[in-house]
Amino acid sequence: MYSNVKEYNQIYQTMSTFQAFYITENEDKTFSQNIIERKIEDLPAGEVLIKVQYSSLNYKDALSSTGNRGVTRNYPHTPGIDAVGIVEDSQSTDFQKGDKVLVTGFDLGMNTAGGFGQYIRVPAKWVVKLPRGLKPKESMIFGTAGLTAALCIDKLLQNGLTPEKGKVIVTGATGGVGTMAVMILAKLGFHVVGVTGKPEGKDFLLKIGAKEVISREEVDDKSGRPLLKGVYAACVDTVGGNMLATILKSMQYNGVVAICGLVNSPELPTSVFPFILRGVSMFGIDSSECDIEWRKKMWKNLAKSWKPKGIQSITKTITIKGLSKEIKRILKGGQMGRVIVRL
């Protein structure tokens, strides 16, 4: 521990540089992706300096890496909304040098230099100690996607969902959150129905625990009917739009829906009928700013009883040199499973 932040920062001005994946804006308003050497002194202020071991590639990272102002306001910038590593130094009594910790969400990788660099410096309130039973790489296989899926599932369980209630449908099931939701729900004994528009997605989803796989077209009702046959007890939705509207019309009585994405659309063309005639409940999930105690509880669950077998099998590991290729893939909807970045 150092006596004050000024002394802390002065000492680290003498440290060697580190590698980072760096996005810069060009004069013609296009954006370039490069690997550069950065100095620790250039990192933003924060109580905890972390040497990053692994990060993961999320859709939000891909948007930040291509200049999306809705994610990142100012450039140049280092994306990476997830990071796990070792505390190098700390101004907080909650963390000591050598602690294994992880950071997901908050402003990391959005407007604060993120996990695609070998070091990050962040506020102590963002940091969670790596729970026992969870290896650093495993924590990034989960990452923001796994935490979001866990929060969705926990909300469903809090509202009475049990395996005996019936089928649970997961949209965007081959994406990061969807994949994690399918695997965790299957681990907990649920009959999971995965939705995908990828022909190759069926075998993937059946392999990771889905009992059924259906196409997007099967949950894209355009009949105009206010209600459809009640099929599902619960839903984890990552896409929004008419697909979500269709699922709401297809919920059983007292069905529960957790929503966390808008890949298809932020619009929701529905009516109040599912809610007032079938008692359907819908909950919005935000993992970026969720309560720290809820966050810690979910990480403990993922480290123990909620951790599926075979999570390594859905994982591709790259270095920051391979990021540009994978960013193109995820933006085209071609990613299945999880891409882990080894720093």
Side-chain angles (χ1 to χ4, degrees):
M1 296 286 291
Y2 295 99
S3 60
N4 55 58
V5 174
K6 183 177 180 181
E7 178 187 357
Y8 170 79
N9 289 335
Q10 286 175 342
I11 288 174
Y12 278 95
Q13 286 180 5
T14 64
M15 289 188 66
S16 61
T17 57
F18 66 92
Q19 285 194 329
F21 186 72
Y22 209 53
I23 313 303
T24 54
E25 185 173 7
N26 305 313
E27 290 184 2
D28 62 357
K29 303 300 180 181
T30 60
F31 292 82
S32 297
Q33 303 168 359
N34 297 286
I35 299 171
I36 69 164
E37 297 288 326
R38 297 201 68 194
K39 295 180 180 179
I40 287 179
E41 65 186 272
D42 294 330
L43 290 173
E47 294 91 0
V48 186
L49 178 70
I50 300 167
K51 186 174 183 179
V52 180
Q53 295 174 301
Y54 295 96
S55 183
S56 67
L57 178 61
N58 300 279
Y59 191 73
K60 190 177 287 185
D61 299 319
L63 294 177
S64 176
S65 298
T66 50
N68 187 299
R69 300 286 185 184
V71 177
T72 300
R73 293 187 299 271
N74 298 309
Y75 293 85
H77 175 64
T78 298
I81 64 173
D82 295 337
V84 65
I86 307 295
V87 173
E88 191 75 19
D89 266 299
S90 172
Q91 288 295 301
S92 168
T93 56
D94 293 333
F95 303 99
Q96 304 296 323
K97 181 178 173 66
D99 284 348
K100 296 179 180 179
V101 296
L102 60 90
V103 183
T104 60
F106 296 102
D107 193 50
L108 185 72
M110 296 178 64
N111 297 289
T112 300
F116 293 170
Q118 292 173 320
Y119 282 89
I120 58 173
R121 186 160 54 205
V122 296
K125 65 181 181 180
W126 295 4
V127 184
V128 174
K129 288 186 179 179
L130 189 69
R132 291 183 180 181
L134 196 61
K135 297 177 181 179
K137 187 175 181 180
E138 289 177 334
S139 75
M140 290 295 97
I141 297 175
F142 287 120
T144 290
L147 176 62
T148 304
L151 294 169
C152 288
I153 292 166
D154 192 55
K155 183 64 75 172
L156 300 179
L157 298 177
Q158 288 176 26
N159 285 273
L161 179 66
T162 62
E164 295 72 29
K165 293 288 180 68
K167 299 178 180 181
V168 182
I169 187 169
V170 178
T171 63
T174 59
V177 176
T179 295
M180 290 290 106
V182 169
M183 296 187 80
I184 297 167
L185 286 164
K187 166 79 177 190
L188 296 178
F190 287 93
H191 182 117
V192 184
V193 180
V195 182
T196 182
K198 301 172 183 175
E200 68 276 21
K202 182 175 181 178
D203 289 342
F204 172 79
L205 292 172
L206 292 173
K207 182 178 179 181
I208 66 172
K211 294 294 186 182
E212 300 177 50
V213 180
I214 62 176
S215 68
R216 294 171 183 166
E217 290 73 25
E218 293 178 73
V219 281
D220 189 21
D221 177 64
K222 294 183 173 66
S223 68
R225 295 170 60 189
L227 290 172
L228 301 172
K229 181 180 178 181
V231 178
Y232 305 108
C235 170
V236 175
D237 177 67
T238 70
V239 301
N242 195 58
M243 193 178 298
L244 172 57
T246 300
I247 290 169
L248 287 171
K249 293 189 288 186
S250 305
M251 298 302 294
Q252 298 172 4
Y253 192 80
N254 282 339
V256 284
V257 178
I259 62 172
C260 61
L262 41 72
V263 175
N264 177 247
S265 172
E267 303 297 326
L268 183 56
T270 191
S271 70
V272 299
F273 287 111
F275 307 105
I276 63 175
L277 295 184
R278 286 190 181 163
V280 173
S281 299
M282 183 168 67
F283 301 91
I285 300 296
D286 170 39
S287 64
S288 294
E289 300 284 344
C290 77
D291 176 78
I292 191 67
E293 293 305 318
W294 192 17
R295 183 184 294 260
K296 289 177 181 178
K297 177 184 175 183
M298 292 302 98
W299 280 115
K300 288 179 181 179
N301 285 350
L302 292 172
K304 296 179 181 178
S305 58
W306 287 20
K307 181 163 62 170
K309 294 181 179 179
I311 58 173
Q312 297 285 351
S313 67
I314 64 161
T315 306
K316 178 178 183 179
T317 303
I318 63 172
T319 67
I320 55 176
K321 293 181 180 179
L323 271 169
S324 292
K325 180 179 178 180
E326 293 301 324
I327 286 167
K328 291 178 181 178
R329 189 193 308 275
I330 195 172
L331 288 173
K332 291 179 179 178
Q335 179 180 318
M336 289 199 300
R338 298 287 284 148
V339 173
I340 305 306
V341 185
R342 185 178 68 247
L343 276 299

